[in-house]
Amino acid sequence: MGKAAAIELGVKLTKKYGSGKDELFHRGLGRAETKAERENVAKVVAEWADGDSIAAHYGFGMDLFCSEDFGRSSKKASVLDEDHRRWLKSDFDIGFVTLIDLARMLTE
């Protein structure tokens, strides 16, 4: 999940396509050659961005995170799936809302 999955994939791609020298995982992500590998890179980077977005909201003291993404498109755990939303709410008091939820809040 998040950056950890990106690091894991980057290291895997470095081992597969790299020059044999150590390199940062970012470089490995850029080495994806097949369509499936590039799609996998896109998915892990998107998940990483979701995690960073939530972290930024928390870091700036925002208590609501608005998203229509429920983490259902991933076969693996997603930071936006139901279990992680519950954990983020219970441990960090981050509330998840949709755009419709926000509109309703404004009219109440």
Side-chain angles (χ1 to χ4, degrees):
M1 209 173 65
K3 186 177 180 181
I7 292 170
E8 182 181 333
L9 181 58
V11 169
K12 179 181 171 183
L13 292 169
T14 290
K15 287 178 182 175
K16 186 173 181 180
Y17 298 117
S19 64
K21 297 179 182 178
D22 287 338
E23 64 186 16
L24 295 175
F25 77 94
H26 302 90
R27 176 88 175 173
L29 293 174
R31 293 186 181 280
E33 290 187 6
T34 68
K35 180 180 178 185
E37 288 170 342
R38 289 189 299 274
E39 288 172 352
N40 201 15
V41 167
K43 287 178 184 177
V44 298
V45 170
E47 184 66 27
W48 177 13
D50 289 344
D52 280 2
S53 294
I54 294 168
H57 272 66
Y58 180 76
F60 281 102
M62 298 174 193
D63 57 355
L64 294 176
F65 186 84
C66 182
S67 178
E68 302 287 335
D69 185 344
F70 293 91
R72 294 185 189 125
S73 64
S74 177
K75 294 177 185 171
K76 297 180 180 181
S78 169
V79 71
L80 291 170
D81 67 25
E82 289 181 40
D83 291 337
H84 287 104
R85 284 175 180 238
R86 277 193 295 276
W87 168 69
L88 289 162
K89 178 64 177 167
S90 69
D91 287 18
F92 300 97
D93 200 28
I94 298 171
F96 289 85
V97 294
T98 64
L99 192 55
I100 290 173
D101 295 331
L102 282 176
R104 287 182 182 139
M105 289 176 183
L106 291 173
T107 60
E108 293 176 353

